Amino acid sequence: MQLLIFFIAVLLCMLLTPIARVTALRLNIIDSPNTKLKTHKAPVPYLGGVAIFAAIGISMALFMVDSNIFLNSQQRGLLFSTLIILVVGLIDDIKGIRPVIKLSLQLFAAYIAWFHGISFMLFDQWYLNMAITLIWIAAMSNAINLIDIMDGLAAGVAGICALFVALLLHLSGDLFSSTLMFVLAGSCLAFLIFNFKPARIYMGDTGSLLLGFLLACTVAQWASGQQSGQHLIVPILILGVPLFELFFVSILRMKAGKSPLMGSQDHFALRLIRMGFSVKRTVLLTYACSVAFGAIAFLALFFHRFTYVLVALTLTVVFFLARRLSQVK
């Protein structure tokens, strides 16, 4: 059934994305290259995130009807908080929102999710679990948003991450969440048909915040059901590319005396371009890194003896790559 729902999500996103593109053009919801941070040459319509959301929503509704599943408290909380994120992203794409306000609304949506039971269970104190859950969800939402700076980059990486997370959840027996991740992956892969270079539509903050939020929430659900804190390493590795970007950009901006919330051209992908890589090669290389992170995560999951060795080797490689990229002006 999950395989069928996956392909339904792919088909729906393929059908809905052109509709979203036409709608965005008619409503003039476009991304114009009117600042130095935007490198595309011609205006590109937004609302790709709305198509992704619709494909995910319809696919999950069909799955629930077929499986005779009713939303529990956690799932209702996830739905409500996801709608908040969707609205925040949509307003930001249309009118723009100040970074501090946008972050506050993301934390509010994360709180709604936590209040309904989506939470890490690392500490005995509820407020510590709440704090780390809110920080994690907001961080991951913005991590996907940060890598959405190049045709096909965010959608492809999010789709790869979702496939690995779906496998994790499937192995743990969480049918609803694993199906959600398969559906998210299918929607992202279908969206790439229109978003890979040269992009005919962007997902915008509507899509990037949505994808990051759903990935973060499902990872928190998976981790809360694990008995060993060692398993936290697995989802962190799976989401290694967006998390690398988050820390890489934040550290460089703070070293330069800038706010991590303010945009700048210090993304790792843009630095690869300045090193001589083409856009397509940069995107494909990032995909390969995301697959490698996922593969290492599953090695760590099944071969516990080598977990810390794998992590140490991975961190060593990441450190040297970060150092090399940071030297690119």
Side-chain angles (χ1 to χ4, degrees), residues 290-312:
S290 191
V291 171
F293 272 120
I296 294 170
F298 270 80
L299 286 175
L301 180 66
F302 291 111
F303 300 96
H304 302 297
R305 295 181 183 178
F306 305 103
T307 295
Y308 295 109
V309 175
L310 288 168
V311 171

PDB file of all heavy atoms in Angstrom, residues 290-312:
ATOM      1  N   SER A 290      24.293  13.516   0.458  1.00  0.00           N
ATOM      2  CA  SER A 290      23.109  13.197   1.252  1.00  0.00           C
ATOM      3  C   SER A 290      22.872  11.689   1.290  1.00  0.00           C
ATOM      4  O   SER A 290      22.545  11.121   2.341  1.00  0.00           O
ATOM      5  CB  SER A 290      21.882  13.909   0.676  1.00  0.00           C
ATOM      6  OG  SER A 290      20.785  13.826   1.553  1.00  0.00           O
ATOM      7  N   VAL A 291      23.059  11.031   0.157  1.00  0.00           N
ATOM      8  CA  VAL A 291      22.929   9.569   0.106  1.00  0.00           C
ATOM      9  C   VAL A 291      24.009   8.919   0.970  1.00  0.00           C
ATOM     10  O   VAL A 291      23.749   7.948   1.698  1.00  0.00           O
ATOM     11  CB  VAL A 291      23.025   9.066  -1.345  1.00  0.00           C
ATOM     12  CG1 VAL A 291      23.103   7.538  -1.390  1.00  0.00           C
ATOM     13  CG2 VAL A 291      21.822   9.542  -2.157  1.00  0.00           C
ATOM     14  N   ALA A 292      25.223   9.457   0.914  1.00  0.00           N
ATOM     15  CA  ALA A 292      26.326   8.903   1.713  1.00  0.00           C
ATOM     16  C   ALA A 292      26.031   9.043   3.201  1.00  0.00           C
ATOM     17  O   ALA A 292      26.258   8.105   3.981  1.00  0.00           O
ATOM     18  CB  ALA A 292      27.629   9.626   1.359  1.00  0.00           C
ATOM     19  N   PHE A 293      25.527  10.193   3.618  1.00  0.00           N
ATOM     20  CA  PHE A 293      25.165  10.393   5.022  1.00  0.00           C
ATOM     21  C   PHE A 293      24.101   9.376   5.449  1.00  0.00           C
ATOM     22  O   PHE A 293      24.169   8.804   6.539  1.00  0.00           O
ATOM     23  CB  PHE A 293      24.647  11.815   5.236  1.00  0.00           C
ATOM     24  CG  PHE A 293      25.711  12.825   5.534  1.00  0.00           C
ATOM     25  CD1 PHE A 293      25.895  13.928   4.704  1.00  0.00           C
ATOM     26  CD2 PHE A 293      26.524  12.687   6.644  1.00  0.00           C
ATOM     27  CE1 PHE A 293      26.875  14.869   4.977  1.00  0.00           C
ATOM     28  CE2 PHE A 293      27.511  13.623   6.922  1.00  0.00           C
ATOM     29  CZ  PHE A 293      27.692  14.718   6.080  1.00  0.00           C
ATOM     30  N   GLY A 294      23.105   9.164   4.591  1.00  0.00           N
ATOM     31  CA  GLY A 294      22.053   8.204   4.908  1.00  0.00           C
ATOM     32  C   GLY A 294      22.593   6.784   5.025  1.00  0.00           C
ATOM     33  O   GLY A 294      22.204   6.031   5.928  1.00  0.00           O
ATOM     34  N   ALA A 295      23.501   6.427   4.122  1.00  0.00           N
ATOM     35  CA  ALA A 295      24.094   5.089   4.162  1.00  0.00           C
ATOM     36  C   ALA A 295      24.916   4.891   5.436  1.00  0.00           C
ATOM     37  O   ALA A 295      24.844   3.834   6.082  1.00  0.00           O
ATOM     38  CB  ALA A 295      24.979   4.879   2.929  1.00  0.00           C
ATOM     39  N   ILE A 296      25.684   5.904   5.819  1.00  0.00           N
ATOM     40  CA  ILE A 296      26.476   5.832   7.053  1.00  0.00           C
ATOM     41  C   ILE A 296      25.552   5.703   8.261  1.00  0.00           C
ATOM     42  O   ILE A 296      25.833   4.968   9.210  1.00  0.00           O
ATOM     43  CB  ILE A 296      27.385   7.074   7.185  1.00  0.00           C
ATOM     44  CG1 ILE A 296      28.442   7.072   6.088  1.00  0.00           C
ATOM     45  CG2 ILE A 296      28.047   7.114   8.558  1.00  0.00           C
ATOM     46  CD1 ILE A 296      29.233   8.360   5.986  1.00  0.00           C
ATOM     47  N   ALA A 297      24.427   6.422   8.219  1.00  0.00           N
ATOM     48  CA  ALA A 297      23.463   6.356   9.328  1.00  0.00           C
ATOM     49  C   ALA A 297      22.940   4.935   9.518  1.00  0.00           C
ATOM     50  O   ALA A 297      22.830   4.452  10.650  1.00  0.00           O
ATOM     51  CB  ALA A 297      22.305   7.312   9.052  1.00  0.00           C
ATOM     52  N   PHE A 298      22.636   4.249   8.426  1.00  0.00           N
ATOM     53  CA  PHE A 298      22.108   2.890   8.542  1.00  0.00           C
ATOM     54  C   PHE A 298      23.199   1.896   8.935  1.00  0.00           C
ATOM     55  O   PHE A 298      22.913   0.902   9.612  1.00  0.00           O
ATOM     56  CB  PHE A 298      21.422   2.468   7.245  1.00  0.00           C
ATOM     57  CG  PHE A 298      19.959   2.823   7.220  1.00  0.00           C
ATOM     58  CD1 PHE A 298      19.558   4.114   6.927  1.00  0.00           C
ATOM     59  CD2 PHE A 298      18.992   1.884   7.534  1.00  0.00           C
ATOM     60  CE1 PHE A 298      18.218   4.462   6.936  1.00  0.00           C
ATOM     61  CE2 PHE A 298      17.655   2.214   7.544  1.00  0.00           C
ATOM     62  CZ  PHE A 298      17.256   3.506   7.242  1.00  0.00           C
ATOM     63  N   LEU A 299      24.432   2.169   8.551  1.00  0.00           N
ATOM     64  CA  LEU A 299      25.538   1.336   9.028  1.00  0.00           C
ATOM     65  C   LEU A 299      25.673   1.480  10.541  1.00  0.00           C
ATOM     66  O   LEU A 299      25.880   0.496  11.259  1.00  0.00           O
ATOM     67  CB  LEU A 299      26.849   1.754   8.342  1.00  0.00           C
ATOM     68  CG  LEU A 299      27.015   1.343   6.878  1.00  0.00           C
ATOM     69  CD1 LEU A 299      28.293   1.940   6.305  1.00  0.00           C
ATOM     70  CD2 LEU A 299      27.041  -0.180   6.742  1.00  0.00           C
ATOM     71  N   ALA A 300      25.548   2.716  11.010  1.00  0.00           N
ATOM     72  CA  ALA A 300      25.616   2.960  12.452  1.00  0.00           C
ATOM     73  C   ALA A 300      24.441   2.319  13.182  1.00  0.00           C
ATOM     74  O   ALA A 300      24.572   1.872  14.326  1.00  0.00           O
ATOM     75  CB  ALA A 300      25.637   4.464  12.720  1.00  0.00           C
ATOM     76  N   LEU A 301      23.279   2.249  12.515  1.00  0.00           N
ATOM     77  CA  LEU A 301      22.092   1.661  13.136  1.00  0.00           C
ATOM     78  C   LEU A 301      22.225   0.153  13.308  1.00  0.00           C
ATOM     79  O   LEU A 301      21.841  -0.405  14.345  1.00  0.00           O
ATOM     80  CB  LEU A 301      20.856   1.984  12.278  1.00  0.00           C
ATOM     81  CG  LEU A 301      19.513   1.445  12.775  1.00  0.00           C
ATOM     82  CD1 LEU A 301      19.118   2.113  14.084  1.00  0.00           C
ATOM     83  CD2 LEU A 301      18.430   1.651  11.719  1.00  0.00           C
ATOM     84  N   PHE A 302      22.785  -0.513  12.307  1.00  0.00           N
ATOM     85  CA  PHE A 302      22.838  -1.972  12.325  1.00  0.00           C
ATOM     86  C   PHE A 302      24.146  -2.542  12.875  1.00  0.00           C
ATOM     87  O   PHE A 302      24.194  -3.686  13.287  1.00  0.00           O
ATOM     88  CB  PHE A 302      22.592  -2.519  10.918  1.00  0.00           C
ATOM     89  CG  PHE A 302      21.186  -2.321  10.439  1.00  0.00           C
ATOM     90  CD1 PHE A 302      20.896  -1.440   9.412  1.00  0.00           C
ATOM     91  CD2 PHE A 302      20.132  -3.007  11.033  1.00  0.00           C
ATOM     92  CE1 PHE A 302      19.586  -1.251   8.974  1.00  0.00           C
ATOM     93  CE2 PHE A 302      18.828  -2.827  10.602  1.00  0.00           C
ATOM     94  CZ  PHE A 302      18.553  -1.946   9.568  1.00  0.00           C
ATOM     95  N   PHE A 303      25.203  -1.721  12.851  1.00  0.00           N
ATOM     96  CA  PHE A 303      26.501  -2.186  13.360  1.00  0.00           C
ATOM     97  C   PHE A 303      26.919  -1.290  14.526  1.00  0.00           C
ATOM     98  O   PHE A 303      27.738  -0.379  14.371  1.00  0.00           O
ATOM     99  CB  PHE A 303      27.556  -2.175  12.244  1.00  0.00           C
ATOM    100  CG  PHE A 303      27.215  -3.065  11.077  1.00  0.00           C
ATOM    101  CD1 PHE A 303      26.598  -2.540   9.944  1.00  0.00           C
ATOM    102  CD2 PHE A 303      27.490  -4.419  11.119  1.00  0.00           C
ATOM    103  CE1 PHE A 303      26.271  -3.355   8.872  1.00  0.00           C
ATOM    104  CE2 PHE A 303      27.172  -5.248  10.045  1.00  0.00           C
ATOM    105  CZ  PHE A 303      26.556  -4.716   8.928  1.00  0.00           C
ATOM    106  N   HIS A 304      26.331  -1.563  15.682  1.00  0.00           N
ATOM    107  CA  HIS A 304      26.506  -0.698  16.840  1.00  0.00           C
ATOM    108  C   HIS A 304      27.962  -0.568  17.273  1.00  0.00           C
ATOM    109  O   HIS A 304      28.375   0.469  17.787  1.00  0.00           O
ATOM    110  CB  HIS A 304      25.681  -1.227  18.021  1.00  0.00           C
ATOM    111  CG  HIS A 304      24.224  -1.346  17.719  1.00  0.00           C
ATOM    112  ND1 HIS A 304      23.448  -0.252  17.422  1.00  0.00           N
ATOM    113  CD2 HIS A 304      23.395  -2.429  17.660  1.00  0.00           C
ATOM    114  CE1 HIS A 304      22.207  -0.646  17.208  1.00  0.00           C
ATOM    115  NE2 HIS A 304      22.149  -1.965  17.333  1.00  0.00           N
ATOM    116  N   ARG A 305      28.745  -1.623  17.088  1.00  0.00           N
ATOM    117  CA  ARG A 305      30.137  -1.588  17.530  1.00  0.00           C
ATOM    118  C   ARG A 305      30.933  -0.499  16.833  1.00  0.00           C
ATOM    119  O   ARG A 305      31.888   0.048  17.399  1.00  0.00           O
ATOM    120  CB  ARG A 305      30.801  -2.937  17.263  1.00  0.00           C
ATOM    121  CG  ARG A 305      30.232  -4.110  18.048  1.00  0.00           C
ATOM    122  CD  ARG A 305      30.985  -5.377  17.708  1.00  0.00           C
ATOM    123  NE  ARG A 305      30.433  -6.539  18.390  1.00  0.00           N
ATOM    124  CZ  ARG A 305      30.883  -7.775  18.245  1.00  0.00           C
ATOM    125  NH1 ARG A 305      31.913  -7.992  17.431  1.00  0.00           N
ATOM    126  NH2 ARG A 305      30.324  -8.776  18.897  1.00  0.00           N
ATOM    127  N   PHE A 306      30.543  -0.210  15.599  1.00  0.00           N
ATOM    128  CA  PHE A 306      31.327   0.735  14.807  1.00  0.00           C
ATOM    129  C   PHE A 306      30.695   2.129  14.744  1.00  0.00           C
ATOM    130  O   PHE A 306      31.157   2.969  13.983  1.00  0.00           O
ATOM    131  CB  PHE A 306      31.511   0.189  13.379  1.00  0.00           C
ATOM    132  CG  PHE A 306      32.121  -1.173  13.329  1.00  0.00           C
ATOM    133  CD1 PHE A 306      31.338  -2.294  13.084  1.00  0.00           C
ATOM    134  CD2 PHE A 306      33.475  -1.350  13.539  1.00  0.00           C
ATOM    135  CE1 PHE A 306      31.894  -3.564  13.039  1.00  0.00           C
ATOM    136  CE2 PHE A 306      34.046  -2.619  13.496  1.00  0.00           C
ATOM    137  CZ  PHE A 306      33.254  -3.719  13.246  1.00  0.00           C
ATOM    138  N   THR A 307      29.652   2.342  15.545  1.00  0.00           N
ATOM    139  CA  THR A 307      28.932   3.613  15.470  1.00  0.00           C
ATOM    140  C   THR A 307      29.864   4.798  15.690  1.00  0.00           C
ATOM    141  O   THR A 307      29.913   5.727  14.882  1.00  0.00           O
ATOM    142  CB  THR A 307      27.795   3.653  16.511  1.00  0.00           C
ATOM    143  OG1 THR A 307      26.836   2.654  16.178  1.00  0.00           O
ATOM    144  CG2 THR A 307      27.117   5.014  16.494  1.00  0.00           C
ATOM    145  N   TYR A 308      30.591   4.773  16.783  1.00  0.00           N
ATOM    146  CA  TYR A 308      31.424   5.927  17.119  1.00  0.00           C
ATOM    147  C   TYR A 308      32.617   6.066  16.175  1.00  0.00           C
ATOM    148  O   TYR A 308      33.089   7.182  15.925  1.00  0.00           O
ATOM    149  CB  TYR A 308      31.876   5.833  18.572  1.00  0.00           C
ATOM    150  CG  TYR A 308      30.721   5.936  19.538  1.00  0.00           C
ATOM    151  CD1 TYR A 308      30.290   4.836  20.265  1.00  0.00           C
ATOM    152  CD2 TYR A 308      30.015   7.130  19.681  1.00  0.00           C
ATOM    153  CE1 TYR A 308      29.205   4.928  21.129  1.00  0.00           C
ATOM    154  CE2 TYR A 308      28.933   7.232  20.542  1.00  0.00           C
ATOM    155  CZ  TYR A 308      28.535   6.127  21.262  1.00  0.00           C
ATOM    156  OH  TYR A 308      27.447   6.219  22.109  1.00  0.00           O
ATOM    157  N   VAL A 309      33.087   4.951  15.643  1.00  0.00           N
ATOM    158  CA  VAL A 309      34.157   5.013  14.647  1.00  0.00           C
ATOM    159  C   VAL A 309      33.647   5.687  13.379  1.00  0.00           C
ATOM    160  O   VAL A 309      34.307   6.559  12.808  1.00  0.00           O
ATOM    161  CB  VAL A 309      34.685   3.597  14.319  1.00  0.00           C
ATOM    162  CG1 VAL A 309      35.712   3.658  13.183  1.00  0.00           C
ATOM    163  CG2 VAL A 309      35.294   2.965  15.556  1.00  0.00           C
ATOM    164  N   LEU A 310      32.450   5.273  12.933  1.00  0.00           N
ATOM    165  CA  LEU A 310      31.849   5.875  11.743  1.00  0.00           C
ATOM    166  C   LEU A 310      31.604   7.364  11.946  1.00  0.00           C
ATOM    167  O   LEU A 310      31.861   8.181  11.056  1.00  0.00           O
ATOM    168  CB  LEU A 310      30.530   5.166  11.415  1.00  0.00           C
ATOM    169  CG  LEU A 310      30.630   3.750  10.853  1.00  0.00           C
ATOM    170  CD1 LEU A 310      29.259   3.081  10.849  1.00  0.00           C
ATOM    171  CD2 LEU A 310      31.206   3.780   9.442  1.00  0.00           C
ATOM    172  N   VAL A 311      31.099   7.718  13.118  1.00  0.00           N
ATOM    173  CA  VAL A 311      30.821   9.127  13.419  1.00  0.00           C
ATOM    174  C   VAL A 311      32.114   9.936  13.444  1.00  0.00           C
ATOM    175  O   VAL A 311      32.186  11.042  12.897  1.00  0.00           O
ATOM    176  CB  VAL A 311      30.073   9.257  14.756  1.00  0.00           C
ATOM    177  CG1 VAL A 311      29.982  10.723  15.175  1.00  0.00           C
ATOM    178  CG2 VAL A 311      28.680   8.667  14.645  1.00  0.00           C
ATOM    179  N   ALA A 312      33.152   9.375  14.058  1.00  0.00           N
ATOM    180  CA  ALA A 312      34.434  10.080  14.139  1.00  0.00           C
ATOM    181  C   ALA A 312      35.027  10.316  12.746  1.00  0.00           C
ATOM    182  O   ALA A 312      35.504  11.422  12.439  1.00  0.00           O
ATOM    183  CB  ALA A 312      35.419   9.277  14.999  1.00  0.00           C
TER     184      ALA A 312
END
